[in-house]
């Protein structure tokens, strides 16, 4: 590029380097996961929902502190609410701190709420939170429409997982042996 040539601002390289690229690429910074839900329930469909939070809740989440183990979602008056999610008090918070297990509003589209409400009223179906995370700087919750597993379903899932692991190990061992020979 010559010294006096004009270059439009759009084609100039962006300032900020990796930090600005990281914020724009839509990566998820996971704060909490509900692994027990995937064990106890058969996941039918998943949704991404925004969360209505107070300032101290956001700061506590940014510290990576939350638990979803006893959490569940209810539809009340055409609104989705997350119950029993544990977000601990912010350590530097004052009298403005939030209550730890308050119900929090989930932001979903009307069609999604209607679909979740109709499906969750069927027997054996429930709505469970799977993860809390930050996406593009905003707190999000991954929720799922799920059906409860019976005890034999859980055992079957564990057996399949163990069989898959063993076959992967056997394949890896055979590849190592083939390379060495």
């Amino acid at each position: 590029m010559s010294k006096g040539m004009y270059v439009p601002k759009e084609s100039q390289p962006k300032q900020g380097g990796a930090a600005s690229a990281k914020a724009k690429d839509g990566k998820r910074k996971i704060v909490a996961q509900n692994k027990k839900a995937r064990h106890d329930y058969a996941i039918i469909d998943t949704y991404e929902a925004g969360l209505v939070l107070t300032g101290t809740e956001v700061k506590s989440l940014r510290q990576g502190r939350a638990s979803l183990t006893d959490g569940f979602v209810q539809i009340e008056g055409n609104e989705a609410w997350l119950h029993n999610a544990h977000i601990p008090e912010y350590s530097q918070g004052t009298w403005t701190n939030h209550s730890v297990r308050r119900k929090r509003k989930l932001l979903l589209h009307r069609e999604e709420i209607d679909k979740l409400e109709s499906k969750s009223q069927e027997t054996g179906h429930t709505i469970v939170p799977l993860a809390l995370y930050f996406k593009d700087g905003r707190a999000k919750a991954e929720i799922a429409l799920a059906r409860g597993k019976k005890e034999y379903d859980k055992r079957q899932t564990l057996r399949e997982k163990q069989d898959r692991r063993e076959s992967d190990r056997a394949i890896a061992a055979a590849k190592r042996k083939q390379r060495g020979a």
Side-chain angles (χ1 to χ4, degrees):
M1 183 159 80
S2 66
K3 195 170 185 179
M5 191 171 146
Y6 170 75
V7 179
K9 191 167 188 144
E10 297 86 41
S11 62
Q12 291 178 0
K14 297 229 188 299
Q15 298 294 321
S20 65
K22 186 176 155 189
K24 301 259 195 258
D25 65 1
K27 293 273 184 179
R28 296 184 350 165
K29 180 186 174 243
I30 294 179
V31 177
Q33 281 188 318
N34 191 355
K35 293 180 182 177
K36 186 178 177 188
R38 293 197 186 271
H39 176 72
D40 291 341
Y41 298 98
I43 306 301
I44 298 169
D45 203 4
T46 60
Y47 298 89
E48 180 180 70
L51 281 165
V52 177
L53 300 172
T54 63
T56 55
E57 286 174 322
V58 174
K59 289 181 178 191
S60 185
L61 282 177
R62 288 203 188 277
Q63 289 180 339
R65 300 166 51 206
S67 174
L68 294 172
T69 41
D70 298 330
F72 63 95
V73 177
Q74 274 188 334
I75 310 291
E76 300 168 3
N78 292 328
E79 293 179 339
W81 294 89
L82 176 63
H83 293 266
N84 271 356
H86 184 271
I87 300 176
E89 289 186 344
Y90 181 56
S91 57
Q92 280 85 36
T94 58
W95 56 273
T96 58
N97 246 334
H98 60 279
S99 65
V100 176
R101 287 199 182 267
R102 74 176 187 91
K103 68 179 189 176
R104 294 162 179 94
K105 188 175 179 178
L106 294 173
L107 304 173
L108 290 162
H109 291 284
R110 168 68 50 222
E111 304 86 47
E112 293 174 332
I113 292 174
D114 293 340
K115 184 177 177 182
L116 282 170
E117 185 174 24
S118 66
K119 292 282 188 176
S120 67
Q121 289 173 350
E122 295 176 13
T123 55
H125 289 83
T126 187
I127 309 167
V128 292
L130 297 178
L132 286 178
Y133 57 91
F134 284 99
K135 182 177 178 183
D136 294 332
R138 300 190 187 273
K140 303 281 185 178
E142 183 180 18
I143 61 172
L145 179 67
R147 184 178 57 250
K149 284 185 183 178
K150 303 283 187 221
E151 205 55 44
Y152 56 85
D153 289 334
K154 294 177 190 177
R155 286 194 297 268
Q156 181 66 28
T157 305
L158 286 173
R159 196 173 299 120
E160 289 170 0
K161 193 175 183 181
Q162 188 175 10
D163 291 344
R164 202 174 317 115
R165 244 189 241 136
E166 287 175 5
S167 66
D168 289 346
R169 281 188 193 130
I171 291 169
K175 284 183 180 178
R176 278 194 305 273
K177 188 175 181 181
Q178 190 177 29
R179 274 187 265 136

